[in-house]
């Protein structure tokens, strides 16, 4: 028996945010929080549009800004206290995946603070959070993570150089506003990183031992759309149709449909979380760095995995061999100007055996124990990719 519930209502298209007026009219909410990063919300028009809607329905609000890329637990702790002090009962998460990730932890701890000393304690053990989080409405301004329609958050503890995911289905945003024009101002690096984050989500849901036929074809279709529009979005950032197709694909890649009735393999994310926990690299770019090496190493040791890589290539990339499939992925990464070597990251000044040991320990701590040997081989191979 399989169970799947899609909890999020989508408002998609130009001026979609103004449909929120209908959703908020006669609502139960008494005070809202607008949660943002530090600056991008000022340039894409989303903040002004949202406040117009909120003011029209006479909903009081406050603003908390400064959620970082790879959101920090200490910033989340400050916001939790801010939310509780101001008796907020609705969060507008306005930004990219980091803002939405942070909003889920904030919404959860706003009603479960008595059980935790800090947000990082919650990330390490979410089992004590029994009370329903306050509601979240996401307004997405950077396509990539799919965080707008699932219950997962990825949080960084910068004091410990650790990064970990936490899941709470009840923290899934109830509404997701998706106006592709809000992504027009996203620069080429962040656009490409979002694209590869989505690319990785689709691959990792496919690379379990068993995949339901419908789900496999769903993954393949989304990959084709993503590849088709990736370069166009980079070269023509104001192209609405291209932005819209990338945006919707990133959302559909991580809402539960891509993992329906199949196994998944999140090893690439596990290794990348260790890398960005240590060096604070952009998440999607880190995934691009790890993916080809992971596919190569694991295919050398497990025939079934190699067969799935080849199947992927034949069905999506029109390649016929393991080598040509991996080459296609490397070429795709380069075509959207993401790194394939650690020296291409400004954040990584060195990558030595001490760093590799840290990455392995982090991956083993937060990943699958049975994958230790694979983690080790991949990390040591990455160290050589100068």
């Amino acid at each position: 028996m399989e169970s799947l519930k899609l909890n999020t209502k989508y408002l998609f298209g130009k001026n979609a945010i103004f449909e929120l007026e209908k959703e908020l009219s006669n609502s139960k909410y008494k005070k809202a929080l607008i949660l943002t990063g530090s600056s991008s919300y000022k340039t894409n028009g989303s903040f002004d549009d949202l406040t117009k809607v909120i003011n029209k329905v006479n909903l009081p609000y406050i603003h908390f800004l400064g959620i970082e890329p790879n959101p920090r637990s200490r910033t989340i702790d400050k916001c939790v206290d801010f939310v509780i002090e101001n008796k907020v009962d609705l969060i507008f998460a306005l930004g990219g995946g980091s803002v939405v990730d942070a909003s889920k932890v904030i919404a959860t701890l706003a009603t479960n603070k008595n059980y935790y000393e800090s947000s990082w304690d919650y990330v390490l053990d979410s089992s004590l959070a029994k009370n329903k989080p306050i509601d979240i409405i996401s307004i997405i301004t950077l396509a990539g993570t799919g965080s707008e329609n699932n219950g997962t958050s990825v949080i960084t503890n910068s004091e410990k150089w650790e990064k970990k995911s936490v899941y709470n289905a009840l923290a899934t945003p109830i509404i997701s506003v998706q106006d592709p024009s809000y992504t027009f101002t996203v620069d080429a690096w962040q656009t490409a990183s979002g694209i590869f984050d989505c690319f990785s989500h689709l691959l990792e849901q496919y690379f379990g031992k068993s995949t339901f036929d419908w789900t496999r074809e769903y993954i393949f279709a989304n990959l084709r759309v993503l590849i088709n529009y990736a370069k166009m979005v980079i070269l023509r950032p104001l192209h609405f149709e291209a932005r819209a197709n990338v945006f919707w694909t990133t959302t559909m890649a991580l809402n539960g449909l891509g993992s329906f009735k199949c196994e998944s393999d999140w090893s690439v994310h596990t290794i990348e979380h260790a890398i960005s926990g240590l060096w604070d690299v952009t998440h999607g770019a880190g995934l691009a760095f790890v993916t080809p090496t992971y596919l190569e190493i694991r295919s050398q040791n497990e025939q079934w995995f190699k067969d799935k890589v080849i199947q992927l290539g034949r069905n999506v990339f029109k390649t016929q061999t393991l080598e040509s499939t991996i080459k296609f992925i490397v070429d795709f990464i380069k075509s959207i100007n993401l790194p394939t070597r650690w020296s291409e990251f400004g954040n990584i000044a060195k990558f030595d055996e001490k760093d590799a040991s840290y990455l392995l320990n982090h991956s083993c701590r937060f990943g699958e124990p049975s994958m230790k040997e694979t983690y080790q081989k991949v990390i040591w191979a990455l160290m050589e990719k100068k």
Side-chain angles (χ1 to χ4, degrees):
M1 189 275 181
E2 298 291 331
S3 176
L4 175 64
K5 182 179 181 180
L6 302 181
N7 295 314
T8 305
K9 180 174 184 177
Y10 305 100
L11 304 178
F12 187 91
K14 182 67 175 174
N15 296 319
I17 198 168
F18 296 108
E19 292 299 310
L20 276 180
E21 184 180 342
K22 298 175 185 177
E23 303 292 335
L24 294 172
S25 296
N26 302 314
S27 70
K28 60 185 178 181
Y29 305 114
K30 296 180 180 179
K31 195 169 191 177
L33 171 76
I34 302 178
L35 185 70
T36 69
S38 297
S39 59
S40 63
Y41 73 93
K42 300 175 184 177
T43 61
N44 55 37
S46 59
F47 187 86
D48 290 341
D49 289 345
L50 176 59
T51 54
K52 286 177 185 177
V53 173
I54 296 175
N55 288 330
K56 198 164 185 180
V57 297
N58 297 312
L59 177 62
Y61 71 90
I62 54 176
H63 181 199
F64 186 97
L65 71 162
I67 298 297
E68 310 91 346
N70 298 318
R72 309 296 198 274
S73 56
R74 63 188 176 196
T75 305
I76 291 171
D77 289 337
K78 294 176 183 177
C79 191
V80 170
D81 292 338
F82 186 63
V83 164
I84 294 173
E85 178 184 349
N86 286 279
K87 299 181 180 178
V88 166
D89 58 358
L90 173 66
I91 296 177
F92 292 102
L94 193 159
S98 293
V99 171
V100 183
D101 280 13
S103 75
K104 297 172 193 175
V105 178
I106 294 163
T108 299
L109 291 183
T111 58
N112 291 277
K113 184 67 164 61
N114 291 340
Y115 304 117
Y116 295 99
E117 291 186 11
S118 71
S119 59
W120 190 247
D121 291 331
Y122 164 70
V123 171
L124 294 176
D125 180 9
S126 62
S127 63
L128 299 178
K130 305 298 184 183
N131 298 322
K132 185 181 182 299
I134 59 178
D135 286 345
I136 301 168
I137 294 175
S138 61
I139 300 98
I140 305 302
T141 61
L142 194 160
T145 70
S147 187
E148 61 269 14
N149 63 172
N150 63 58
T152 300
S153 301
V154 181
I155 306 300
T156 298
N157 185 321
S158 53
E159 287 79 18
K160 296 185 176 183
W161 293 353
E162 293 178 350
K163 184 175 180 180
K164 185 180 182 299
S165 64
V166 61
Y167 178 76
N168 181 0
L170 297 177
T172 302
I174 60 170
I175 297 172
S176 179
V177 177
Q178 300 181 314
D179 184 339
S181 66
Y182 289 159
T183 68
F184 284 175
T185 57
V186 179
D187 64 33
W189 171 262
Q190 291 293 344
T191 296
S193 295
I195 287 170
F196 202 86
D197 193 8
C198 174
F199 192 90
S200 184
H201 292 159
L202 292 164
L203 291 191
E204 289 180 275
Q205 290 173 101
Y206 166 70
F207 279 126
K209 275 195 172 182
S210 64
T211 308
F212 188 51
D213 284 356
W214 182 92
T215 307
R216 182 184 63 244
E217 295 304 315
Y218 175 85
I219 291 170
F220 288 171
N222 277 276
L223 282 168
R224 292 186 195 104
V225 172
L226 193 67
I227 293 167
N228 186 50
Y229 285 99
K231 293 181 186 177
M232 187 183 299
V233 163
I234 303 297
L235 295 173
R236 301 174 63 187
L238 303 184
H239 193 294
F240 187 90
E241 193 69 13
R243 287 283 191 183
N245 274 276
V246 168
F247 205 155
W248 192 243
T249 305
T250 60
T251 296
M252 292 294 103
L254 207 59
N255 63 355
L257 291 173
S259 56
F260 179 72
K261 200 173 168 54
C262 70
E263 297 176 0
S264 297
D265 169 29
W266 293 100
S267 298
V268 171
H269 264 69
T270 297
I271 296 169
E272 195 289 323
H273 286 170
I275 290 172
S276 55
L278 180 60
W279 289 304
D280 199 28
V281 303
T282 304
H283 176 56
L287 294 170
F289 171 48
V290 175
T291 296
T293 300
Y294 177 79
L295 298 183
E296 181 180 1
I297 294 293
R298 193 155 186 199
S299 294
Q300 290 172 0
N301 297 292
E302 300 177 61
Q303 184 62 44
W304 72 268
F305 189 89
K306 178 180 178 180
D307 291 343
K308 290 202 80 168
V309 176
I310 294 171
Q311 181 188 48
L312 168 74
R314 288 175 177 169
N315 283 272
V316 181
F317 311 144
K318 307 306 179 185
T319 55
Q320 298 298 319
T321 65
L322 172 70
E323 292 74 20
S324 60
T325 300
I326 294 176
K327 183 179 184 301
F328 181 98
I329 294 173
V330 171
D331 289 345
F332 174 67
I333 292 167
K334 291 179 178 179
S335 76
I336 55 176
N337 300 313
L338 290 180
T340 58
R341 298 181 177 276
W342 61 261
S343 58
E344 297 176 73
F345 289 94
N347 315 58
I348 307 178
K350 66 175 181 63
F351 191 160
D352 58 21
E353 291 185 7
K354 181 180 178 182
D355 299 317
S357 295
Y358 170 83
L359 297 177
L360 177 60
N361 290 335
H362 188 291
S363 298
C364 291
R365 182 181 177 194
F366 298 123
E368 292 293 330
S370 62
M371 293 294 292
K372 180 178 179 179
E373 184 177 350
T374 300
Y375 295 154
Q376 184 176 37
K377 289 180 179 179
V378 173
I379 291 167
W380 257 254
L382 291 172
M383 185 172 62
E384 300 303 316
K385 291 195 172 292
K386 300 179 181 180

mmCIF file with all atom_site columns, all heavy atoms in Angstrom, residues 352-370:
data_model
loop_
_atom_site.group_PDB
_atom_site.id
_atom_site.type_symbol
_atom_site.label_atom_id
_atom_site.label_alt_id
_atom_site.label_comp_id
_atom_site.label_asym_id
_atom_site.label_entity_id
_atom_site.label_seq_id
_atom_site.pdbx_PDB_ins_code
_atom_site.Cartn_x
_atom_site.Cartn_y
_atom_site.Cartn_z
_atom_site.occupancy
_atom_site.B_iso_or_equiv
_atom_site.pdbx_formal_charge
_atom_site.auth_seq_id
_atom_site.auth_comp_id
_atom_site.auth_asym_id
_atom_site.auth_atom_id
_atom_site.pdbx_PDB_model_num
ATOM 1   N N   . ASP A 1 352 ? 42.731 18.914 1.315  1.00 0.00 ? 352 ASP A N   1
ATOM 2   C CA  . ASP A 1 352 ? 43.760 17.936 1.644  1.00 0.00 ? 352 ASP A CA  1
ATOM 3   C C   . ASP A 1 352 ? 43.171 16.752 2.408  1.00 0.00 ? 352 ASP A C   1
ATOM 4   O O   . ASP A 1 352 ? 41.947 16.647 2.571  1.00 0.00 ? 352 ASP A O   1
ATOM 5   C CB  . ASP A 1 352 ? 44.902 18.590 2.428  1.00 0.00 ? 352 ASP A CB  1
ATOM 6   C CG  . ASP A 1 352 ? 44.425 19.247 3.722  1.00 0.00 ? 352 ASP A CG  1
ATOM 7   O OD1 . ASP A 1 352 ? 43.336 18.891 4.231  1.00 0.00 ? 352 ASP A OD1 1
ATOM 8   O OD2 . ASP A 1 352 ? 45.152 20.129 4.231  1.00 0.00 ? 352 ASP A OD2 1
ATOM 9   N N   . GLU A 1 353 ? 44.024 15.861 2.879  1.00 0.00 ? 353 GLU A N   1
ATOM 10  C CA  . GLU A 1 353 ? 43.559 14.651 3.563  1.00 0.00 ? 353 GLU A CA  1
ATOM 11  C C   . GLU A 1 353 ? 42.792 14.960 4.847  1.00 0.00 ? 353 GLU A C   1
ATOM 12  O O   . GLU A 1 353 ? 41.857 14.246 5.197  1.00 0.00 ? 353 GLU A O   1
ATOM 13  C CB  . GLU A 1 353 ? 44.749 13.736 3.854  1.00 0.00 ? 353 GLU A CB  1
ATOM 14  C CG  . GLU A 1 353 ? 45.353 13.124 2.604  1.00 0.00 ? 353 GLU A CG  1
ATOM 15  C CD  . GLU A 1 353 ? 46.445 12.117 2.930  1.00 0.00 ? 353 GLU A CD  1
ATOM 16  O OE1 . GLU A 1 353 ? 46.633 11.818 4.127  1.00 0.00 ? 353 GLU A OE1 1
ATOM 17  O OE2 . GLU A 1 353 ? 47.087 11.628 1.982  1.00 0.00 ? 353 GLU A OE2 1
ATOM 18  N N   . LYS A 1 354 ? 43.191 16.021 5.539  1.00 0.00 ? 354 LYS A N   1
ATOM 19  C CA  . LYS A 1 354 ? 42.466 16.423 6.745  1.00 0.00 ? 354 LYS A CA  1
ATOM 20  C C   . LYS A 1 354 ? 41.039 16.818 6.402  1.00 0.00 ? 354 LYS A C   1
ATOM 21  O O   . LYS A 1 354 ? 40.080 16.432 7.097  1.00 0.00 ? 354 LYS A O   1
ATOM 22  C CB  . LYS A 1 354 ? 43.186 17.579 7.430  1.00 0.00 ? 354 LYS A CB  1
ATOM 23  C CG  . LYS A 1 354 ? 42.507 18.054 8.710  1.00 0.00 ? 354 LYS A CG  1
ATOM 24  C CD  . LYS A 1 354 ? 43.270 19.210 9.344  1.00 0.00 ? 354 LYS A CD  1
ATOM 25  C CE  . LYS A 1 354 ? 42.552 19.722 10.593 1.00 0.00 ? 354 LYS A CE  1
ATOM 26  N NZ  . LYS A 1 354 ? 43.279 20.883 11.196 1.00 0.00 ? 354 LYS A NZ  1
ATOM 27  N N   . ASP A 1 355 ? 40.875 17.579 5.325  1.00 0.00 ? 355 ASP A N   1
ATOM 28  C CA  . ASP A 1 355 ? 39.536 17.970 4.885  1.00 0.00 ? 355 ASP A CA  1
ATOM 29  C C   . ASP A 1 355 ? 38.729 16.743 4.454  1.00 0.00 ? 355 ASP A C   1
ATOM 30  O O   . ASP A 1 355 ? 37.543 16.612 4.782  1.00 0.00 ? 355 ASP A O   1
ATOM 31  C CB  . ASP A 1 355 ? 39.628 18.957 3.717  1.00 0.00 ? 355 ASP A CB  1
ATOM 32  C CG  . ASP A 1 355 ? 40.349 20.223 4.086  1.00 0.00 ? 355 ASP A CG  1
ATOM 33  O OD1 . ASP A 1 355 ? 40.097 20.756 5.183  1.00 0.00 ? 355 ASP A OD1 1
ATOM 34  O OD2 . ASP A 1 355 ? 41.184 20.683 3.282  1.00 0.00 ? 355 ASP A OD2 1
ATOM 35  N N   . ALA A 1 356 ? 39.374 15.844 3.720  1.00 0.00 ? 356 ALA A N   1
ATOM 36  C CA  . ALA A 1 356 ? 38.685 14.640 3.262  1.00 0.00 ? 356 ALA A CA  1
ATOM 37  C C   . ALA A 1 356 ? 38.210 13.793 4.442  1.00 0.00 ? 356 ALA A C   1
ATOM 38  O O   . ALA A 1 356 ? 37.105 13.234 4.418  1.00 0.00 ? 356 ALA A O   1
ATOM 39  C CB  . ALA A 1 356 ? 39.618 13.820 2.362  1.00 0.00 ? 356 ALA A CB  1
ATOM 40  N N   . SER A 1 357 ? 39.009 13.700 5.481  1.00 0.00 ? 357 SER A N   1
ATOM 41  C CA  . SER A 1 357 ? 38.621 12.937 6.670  1.00 0.00 ? 357 SER A CA  1
ATOM 42  C C   . SER A 1 357 ? 37.412 13.567 7.347  1.00 0.00 ? 357 SER A C   1
ATOM 43  O O   . SER A 1 357 ? 36.486 12.877 7.793  1.00 0.00 ? 357 SER A O   1
ATOM 44  C CB  . SER A 1 357 ? 39.788 12.855 7.656  1.00 0.00 ? 357 SER A CB  1
ATOM 45  O OG  . SER A 1 357 ? 40.847 12.114 7.100  1.00 0.00 ? 357 SER A OG  1
ATOM 46  N N   . TYR A 1 358 ? 37.407 14.913 7.411  1.00 0.00 ? 358 TYR A N   1
ATOM 47  C CA  . TYR A 1 358 ? 36.251 15.600 7.993  1.00 0.00 ? 358 TYR A CA  1
ATOM 48  C C   . TYR A 1 358 ? 34.996 15.319 7.172  1.00 0.00 ? 358 TYR A C   1
ATOM 49  O O   . TYR A 1 358 ? 33.930 15.012 7.727  1.00 0.00 ? 358 TYR A O   1
ATOM 50  C CB  . TYR A 1 358 ? 36.491 17.112 8.054  1.00 0.00 ? 358 TYR A CB  1
ATOM 51  C CG  . TYR A 1 358 ? 35.228 17.851 8.415  1.00 0.00 ? 358 TYR A CG  1
ATOM 52  C CD1 . TYR A 1 358 ? 34.826 17.986 9.744  1.00 0.00 ? 358 TYR A CD1 1
ATOM 53  C CD2 . TYR A 1 358 ? 34.397 18.355 7.421  1.00 0.00 ? 358 TYR A CD2 1
ATOM 54  C CE1 . TYR A 1 358 ? 33.624 18.610 10.070 1.00 0.00 ? 358 TYR A CE1 1
ATOM 55  C CE2 . TYR A 1 358 ? 33.207 18.978 7.737  1.00 0.00 ? 358 TYR A CE2 1
ATOM 56  C CZ  . TYR A 1 358 ? 32.825 19.113 9.060  1.00 0.00 ? 358 TYR A CZ  1
ATOM 57  O OH  . TYR A 1 358 ? 31.634 19.715 9.373  1.00 0.00 ? 358 TYR A OH  1
ATOM 58  N N   . LEU A 1 359 ? 35.106 15.428 5.854  1.00 0.00 ? 359 LEU A N   1
ATOM 59  C CA  . LEU A 1 359 ? 33.952 15.207 4.983  1.00 0.00 ? 359 LEU A CA  1
ATOM 60  C C   . LEU A 1 359 ? 33.412 13.791 5.132  1.00 0.00 ? 359 LEU A C   1
ATOM 61  O O   . LEU A 1 359 ? 32.198 13.562 5.146  1.00 0.00 ? 359 LEU A O   1
ATOM 62  C CB  . LEU A 1 359 ? 34.328 15.479 3.527  1.00 0.00 ? 359 LEU A CB  1
ATOM 63  C CG  . LEU A 1 359 ? 34.745 16.916 3.187  1.00 0.00 ? 359 LEU A CG  1
ATOM 64  C CD1 . LEU A 1 359 ? 35.160 17.006 1.727  1.00 0.00 ? 359 LEU A CD1 1
ATOM 65  C CD2 . LEU A 1 359 ? 33.634 17.906 3.488  1.00 0.00 ? 359 LEU A CD2 1
ATOM 66  N N   . LEU A 1 360 ? 34.318 12.820 5.242  1.00 0.00 ? 360 LEU A N   1
ATOM 67  C CA  . LEU A 1 360 ? 33.901 11.430 5.417  1.00 0.00 ? 360 LEU A CA  1
ATOM 68  C C   . LEU A 1 360 ? 33.180 11.249 6.741  1.00 0.00 ? 360 LEU A C   1
ATOM 69  O O   . LEU A 1 360 ? 32.110 10.615 6.804  1.00 0.00 ? 360 LEU A O   1
ATOM 70  C CB  . LEU A 1 360 ? 35.096 10.499 5.328  1.00 0.00 ? 360 LEU A CB  1
ATOM 71  C CG  . LEU A 1 360 ? 34.799 9.011  5.559  1.00 0.00 ? 360 LEU A CG  1
ATOM 72  C CD1 . LEU A 1 360 ? 33.802 8.486  4.530  1.00 0.00 ? 360 LEU A CD1 1
ATOM 73  C CD2 . LEU A 1 360 ? 36.092 8.194  5.517  1.00 0.00 ? 360 LEU A CD2 1
ATOM 74  N N   . ASN A 1 361 ? 33.720 11.785 7.805  1.00 0.00 ? 361 ASN A N   1
ATOM 75  C CA  . ASN A 1 361 ? 33.087 11.645 9.125  1.00 0.00 ? 361 ASN A CA  1
ATOM 76  C C   . ASN A 1 361 ? 31.716 12.293 9.144  1.00 0.00 ? 361 ASN A C   1
ATOM 77  O O   . ASN A 1 361 ? 30.757 11.741 9.703  1.00 0.00 ? 361 ASN A O   1
ATOM 78  C CB  . ASN A 1 361 ? 33.981 12.267 10.200 1.00 0.00 ? 361 ASN A CB  1
ATOM 79  C CG  . ASN A 1 361 ? 35.244 11.464 10.451 1.00 0.00 ? 361 ASN A CG  1
ATOM 80  O OD1 . ASN A 1 361 ? 35.272 10.258 10.210 1.00 0.00 ? 361 ASN A OD1 1
ATOM 81  N ND2 . ASN A 1 361 ? 36.297 12.125 10.914 1.00 0.00 ? 361 ASN A ND2 1
ATOM 82  N N   . HIS A 1 362 ? 31.593 13.470 8.530  1.00 0.00 ? 362 HIS A N   1
ATOM 83  C CA  . HIS A 1 362 ? 30.304 14.173 8.465  1.00 0.00 ? 362 HIS A CA  1
ATOM 84  C C   . HIS A 1 362 ? 29.303 13.347 7.666  1.00 0.00 ? 362 HIS A C   1
ATOM 85  O O   . HIS A 1 362 ? 28.151 13.175 8.074  1.00 0.00 ? 362 HIS A O   1
ATOM 86  C CB  . HIS A 1 362 ? 30.507 15.549 7.832  1.00 0.00 ? 362 HIS A CB  1
ATOM 87  C CG  . HIS A 1 362 ? 29.305 16.444 7.881  1.00 0.00 ? 362 HIS A CG  1
ATOM 88  N ND1 . HIS A 1 362 ? 28.164 16.207 7.140  1.00 0.00 ? 362 HIS A ND1 1
ATOM 89  C CD2 . HIS A 1 362 ? 29.062 17.581 8.590  1.00 0.00 ? 362 HIS A CD2 1
ATOM 90  C CE1 . HIS A 1 362 ? 27.281 17.171 7.372  1.00 0.00 ? 362 HIS A CE1 1
ATOM 91  N NE2 . HIS A 1 362 ? 27.798 18.008 8.259  1.00 0.00 ? 362 HIS A NE2 1
ATOM 92  N N   . SER A 1 363 ? 29.738 12.821 6.515  1.00 0.00 ? 363 SER A N   1
ATOM 93  C CA  . SER A 1 363 ? 28.847 12.036 5.655  1.00 0.00 ? 363 SER A CA  1
ATOM 94  C C   . SER A 1 363 ? 28.372 10.777 6.363  1.00 0.00 ? 363 SER A C   1
ATOM 95  O O   . SER A 1 363 ? 27.188 10.404 6.275  1.00 0.00 ? 363 SER A O   1
ATOM 96  C CB  . SER A 1 363 ? 29.570 11.668 4.355  1.00 0.00 ? 363 SER A CB  1
ATOM 97  O OG  . SER A 1 363 ? 29.931 12.822 3.629  1.00 0.00 ? 363 SER A OG  1
ATOM 98  N N   . CYS A 1 364 ? 29.273 10.119 7.069  1.00 0.00 ? 364 CYS A N   1
ATOM 99  C CA  . CYS A 1 364 ? 28.902 8.895  7.783  1.00 0.00 ? 364 CYS A CA  1
ATOM 100 C C   . CYS A 1 364 ? 27.971 9.198  8.958  1.00 0.00 ? 364 CYS A C   1
ATOM 101 O O   . CYS A 1 364 ? 27.072 8.410  9.261  1.00 0.00 ? 364 CYS A O   1
ATOM 102 C CB  . CYS A 1 364 ? 30.144 8.176  8.281  1.00 0.00 ? 364 CYS A CB  1
ATOM 103 S SG  . CYS A 1 364 ? 31.149 7.458  6.960  1.00 0.00 ? 364 CYS A SG  1
ATOM 104 N N   . ARG A 1 365 ? 28.191 10.330 9.617  1.00 0.00 ? 365 ARG A N   1
ATOM 105 C CA  . ARG A 1 365 ? 27.353 10.676 10.764 1.00 0.00 ? 365 ARG A CA  1
ATOM 106 C C   . ARG A 1 365 ? 25.914 10.941 10.358 1.00 0.00 ? 365 ARG A C   1
ATOM 107 O O   . ARG A 1 365 ? 24.975 10.505 11.024 1.00 0.00 ? 365 ARG A O   1
ATOM 108 C CB  . ARG A 1 365 ? 27.923 11.902 11.475 1.00 0.00 ? 365 ARG A CB  1
ATOM 109 C CG  . ARG A 1 365 ? 27.116 12.291 12.718 1.00 0.00 ? 365 ARG A CG  1
ATOM 110 C CD  . ARG A 1 365 ? 27.676 13.515 13.405 1.00 0.00 ? 365 ARG A CD  1
ATOM 111 N NE  . ARG A 1 365 ? 26.833 13.896 14.534 1.00 0.00 ? 365 ARG A NE  1
ATOM 112 C CZ  . ARG A 1 365 ? 26.910 15.054 15.163 1.00 0.00 ? 365 ARG A CZ  1
ATOM 113 N NH1 . ARG A 1 365 ? 27.799 15.961 14.781 1.00 0.00 ? 365 ARG A NH1 1
ATOM 114 N NH2 . ARG A 1 365 ? 26.106 15.329 16.178 1.00 0.00 ? 365 ARG A NH2 1
ATOM 115 N N   . PHE A 1 366 ? 25.721 11.650 9.243  1.00 0.00 ? 366 PHE A N   1
ATOM 116 C CA  . PHE A 1 366 ? 24.373 12.056 8.847  1.00 0.00 ? 366 PHE A CA  1
ATOM 117 C C   . PHE A 1 366 ? 23.822 11.275 7.658  1.00 0.00 ? 366 PHE A C   1
ATOM 118 O O   . PHE A 1 366 ? 22.686 11.491 7.247  1.00 0.00 ? 366 PHE A O   1
ATOM 119 C CB  . PHE A 1 366 ? 24.350 13.555 8.536  1.00 0.00 ? 366 PHE A CB  1
ATOM 120 C CG  . PHE A 1 366 ? 24.698 14.417 9.728  1.00 0.00 ? 366 PHE A CG  1
ATOM 121 C CD1 . PHE A 1 366 ? 25.745 15.314 9.674  1.00 0.00 ? 366 PHE A CD1 1
ATOM 122 C CD2 . PHE A 1 366 ? 23.961 14.325 10.904 1.00 0.00 ? 366 PHE A CD2 1
ATOM 123 C CE1 . PHE A 1 366 ? 26.065 16.115 10.765 1.00 0.00 ? 366 PHE A CE1 1
ATOM 124 C CE2 . PHE A 1 366 ? 24.266 15.116 12.000 1.00 0.00 ? 366 PHE A CE2 1
ATOM 125 C CZ  . PHE A 1 366 ? 25.316 16.011 11.936 1.00 0.00 ? 366 PHE A CZ  1
ATOM 126 N N   . GLY A 1 367 ? 24.620 10.367 7.110  1.00 0.00 ? 367 GLY A N   1
ATOM 127 C CA  . GLY A 1 367 ? 24.174 9.593  5.964  1.00 0.00 ? 367 GLY A CA  1
ATOM 128 C C   . GLY A 1 367 ? 23.874 8.148  6.321  1.00 0.00 ? 367 GLY A C   1
ATOM 129 O O   . GLY A 1 367 ? 23.561 7.820  7.461  1.00 0.00 ? 367 GLY A O   1
ATOM 130 N N   . GLU A 1 368 ? 23.999 7.282  5.335  1.00 0.00 ? 368 GLU A N   1
ATOM 131 C CA  . GLU A 1 368 ? 23.707 5.862  5.508  1.00 0.00 ? 368 GLU A CA  1
ATOM 132 C C   . GLU A 1 368 ? 24.981 5.114  5.912  1.00 0.00 ? 368 GLU A C   1
ATOM 133 O O   . GLU A 1 368 ? 25.975 5.155  5.173  1.00 0.00 ? 368 GLU A O   1
ATOM 134 C CB  . GLU A 1 368 ? 23.157 5.272  4.213  1.00 0.00 ? 368 GLU A CB  1
ATOM 135 C CG  . GLU A 1 368 ? 21.792 5.786  3.821  1.00 0.00 ? 368 GLU A CG  1
ATOM 136 C CD  . GLU A 1 368 ? 20.720 5.341  4.790  1.00 0.00 ? 368 GLU A CD  1
ATOM 137 O OE1 . GLU A 1 368 ? 20.857 4.252  5.387  1.00 0.00 ? 368 GLU A OE1 1
ATOM 138 O OE2 . GLU A 1 368 ? 19.731 6.094  4.962  1.00 0.00 ? 368 GLU A OE2 1
ATOM 139 N N   . PRO A 1 369 ? 24.982 4.433  7.029  1.00 0.00 ? 369 PRO A N   1
ATOM 140 C CA  . PRO A 1 369 ? 26.193 3.710  7.462  1.00 0.00 ? 369 PRO A CA  1
ATOM 141 C C   . PRO A 1 369 ? 26.713 2.719  6.419  1.00 0.00 ? 369 PRO A C   1
ATOM 142 O O   . PRO A 1 369 ? 27.926 2.550  6.276  1.00 0.00 ? 369 PRO A O   1
ATOM 143 C CB  . PRO A 1 369 ? 25.722 2.992  8.736  1.00 0.00 ? 369 PRO A CB  1
ATOM 144 C CG  . PRO A 1 369 ? 24.590 3.818  9.249  1.00 0.00 ? 369 PRO A CG  1
ATOM 145 C CD  . PRO A 1 369 ? 23.897 4.347  8.026  1.00 0.00 ? 369 PRO A CD  1
ATOM 146 N N   . SER A 1 370 ? 25.792 2.096  5.691  1.00 0.00 ? 370 SER A N   1
ATOM 147 C CA  . SER A 1 370 ? 26.193 1.097  4.703  1.00 0.00 ? 370 SER A CA  1
ATOM 148 C C   . SER A 1 370 ? 26.935 1.711  3.507  1.00 0.00 ? 370 SER A C   1
ATOM 149 O O   . SER A 1 370 ? 27.554 0.990  2.720  1.00 0.00 ? 370 SER A O   1
ATOM 150 C CB  . SER A 1 370 ? 24.969 0.346  4.182  1.00 0.00 ? 370 SER A CB  1
ATOM 151 O OG  . SER A 1 370 ? 24.071 1.230  3.529  1.00 0.00 ? 370 SER A OG  1
#
